[in-house]
């Protein structure tokens, strides 16, 4: 979906396909047929943006087989789909029964991460629509915080610098300008937007910036305006933003609130949980840890890294951090000029919701994704952007 900003530039809105993970190129092609095109049809649009997630094997197949890459591009066009952004965070196995800490491997100190992201960039340069010259790829925020020392930090920074050089060369070769955004996430060495400033300014290349996930922003209790002010002052580019909402519990000391939260404690993904105290932010790596005894203070609200559907906040006594998303979006694209032109709805936890809230059929999932995109579209038009055909 494309929108015209009042300044005349185009803002792209997509949804991320990691909600229906596939490890192979055949699986990606099936996603387009079974999920993405049906979502487009529900929205009544001739064109729908998707943020592709390409696992290692799928990306490698595309970068080593020009015929396969041309075939994917043809299939996108045939189904009324377009790609300007990729989700390069998960490397493989995102559809496994247990993902948890595995999603952070390999990290940016491992050569496999550089190789994979280079493959993604080469693929995206060929998938961009003919009238689009700029693409974006989100990636993990360097590494999970444990086992990340000064030596690995130096290696990671060197890898990102080398990637920037490769993106420069790709631009010269193809005319396509690609940028990478590291995505702050609770528990990682770069947990907040402020944590991102030092490493990104040290790298000092405008092709390496930040991806702001509004669920992660909210989970860490970051104020969107303060965060964006700091990034702008530091000249850190906002490459893309993932529009998402976290789980919010206003009164976590109440038994009924604990019971409601426990329904979201599931085995596939980590749900880092945070609260604010007089001494600063406190947290656990997973929701189960927070719910166990007194692992986390409960005098103030809790927020959990659980991407809840944008249009359907949990029932009381829980809610979502949609107001944080609204505030961030207002600042990102509501001013005289957009801070970023790439927006991506990323709710990959549909099948991890409590059983009664999960879609029971493919059609229900398509309905839910279309409803999320409709809400995002309405937020954009409320800010003065005009939806394009």
């Amino acid at each position: 979906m494309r929108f015209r900003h009042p300044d005349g530039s185009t803002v792209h809105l997509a949804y991320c396909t990691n909600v229906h993970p596939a490890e192979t190129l055949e699986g990606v092609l099936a996603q387009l047929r079974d999920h993405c095109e049906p979502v487009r049809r529900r929205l009544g649009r001739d064109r729908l943006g998707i943020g592709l997630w390409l696992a290692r094997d799928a990306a490698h197949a595309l970068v080593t087989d020009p015929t396969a890459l041309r075939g994917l591009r043809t299939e996108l066009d045939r189904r009324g789909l377009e790609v300007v952004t990729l989700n390069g965070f998960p490397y493989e196995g995102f559809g496994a029964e247990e993902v948890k800490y595995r999603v952070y491997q390999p990290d940016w100190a491992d050569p496999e991460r550089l190789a994979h992201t280079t493959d993604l960039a080469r693929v995206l340069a060929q998938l961009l629509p003919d009238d689009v010259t700029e693409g974006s790829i989100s990636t993990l925020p360097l590494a999970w915080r444990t086992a990340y020392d000064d030596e690995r930090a130096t290696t990671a920074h060197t890898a990102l610098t080398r990637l920037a050089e490769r993106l420069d060369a790709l631009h010269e070769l193809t005319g396509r300008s690609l940028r990478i955004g590291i995505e702050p996430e609770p528990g990682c060495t770069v947990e907040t937007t402020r944590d991102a400033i030092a490493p990104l300014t040290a790298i000092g290349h405008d092709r390496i910036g930040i991806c702001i996930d509004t669920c992660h922003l909210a989970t860490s209790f970051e104020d969107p305006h303060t965060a964006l002010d700091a990034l702008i002052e530091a000249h850190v580019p906002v490459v893309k933003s993932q529009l998402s909402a976290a789980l919010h519990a206003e009164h976590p000391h109440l038994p009924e609130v604990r019971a409601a939260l426990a329904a979201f404690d599931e085995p596939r993904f980590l749900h880092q949980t945070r609260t604010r105290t007089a001494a600063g932010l406190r947290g656990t790596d997973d929701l189960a840890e927070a719910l166990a005894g007194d692992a986390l203070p409960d005098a103030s609200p809790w927020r959990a890294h659980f991407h809840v559907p944008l249009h359907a906040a949990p029932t009381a006594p829980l809610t979502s951090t949609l107001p944080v998303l609204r505030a961030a979006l207002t600042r990102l694209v509501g001013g005289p000029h957009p801070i970023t032109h790439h927006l991506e709805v990323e709710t990959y936890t549909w099948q991890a919701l409590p059983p009664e809230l999960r879609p029971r059929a493919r059609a229900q999932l398509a309905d839910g994704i279309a409803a999320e995109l409709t809400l995002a579209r309405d937020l954009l038009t409320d800010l003065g952007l005009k939806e394009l055909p």
Side-chain angles (χ1 to χ4, degrees), residues 220-372:
S220 294
F221 287 88
E222 290 196 81
D223 174 71
H225 298 287
T226 302
L228 287 164
D229 282 346
L231 293 171
I232 291 169
E233 184 178 353
H235 303 288
V236 171
V238 180
V239 171
K240 66 185 278 190
S241 180
Q242 290 171 327
L243 307 183
S244 52
L247 194 62
H248 179 94
E250 186 69 18
H251 302 292
H253 65 285
L254 297 177
E256 60 268 30
V257 175
R258 294 289 186 110
L261 283 170
F264 287 84
D265 175 28
E266 55 82 37
R268 179 177 294 180
F269 302 110
L270 277 186
H271 301 296
Q272 301 93 316
T273 305
R274 298 290 184 267
T275 188
R276 286 186 292 192
T277 72
L281 205 63
R282 290 277 303 277
T284 60
D285 284 353
D286 214 346
L287 183 56
E289 299 173 49
L291 292 170
D294 58 356
L296 199 62
D298 59 8
S300 297
W302 286 2
R303 288 177 179 174
H305 173 216
F306 194 117
H307 291 233
V308 295
L310 301 187
H311 68 291
T315 57
L318 303 179
T319 186
S320 81
T321 60
L322 186 62
V324 176
L325 185 159
R326 292 177 184 270
L329 193 61
T330 298
R331 187 66 190 283
L332 287 166
V333 299
H337 303 287
I339 296 174
T340 184
H341 290 86
H342 290 180
L343 305 172
E344 179 183 64
V345 171
E346 197 211 19
T347 305
Y348 59 82
T349 43
W350 276 94
Q351 298 299 344
L353 290 167
E356 68 274 11
L357 301 178
R358 295 174 194 168
R360 291 183 296 277
R362 188 182 296 165
Q364 286 182 310
L365 178 59
D367 288 342
I369 294 169
E372 290 194 282

Side-chain angles (χ1 to χ4, degrees), residues 9-10 32 94 100 142 165 180 222 246 324:
S9 64
T10 300
L32 306 185
F94 200 61
K100 298 290 184 180
L142 303 184
E165 294 168 352
I180 307 297
E222 290 196 81
V324 176

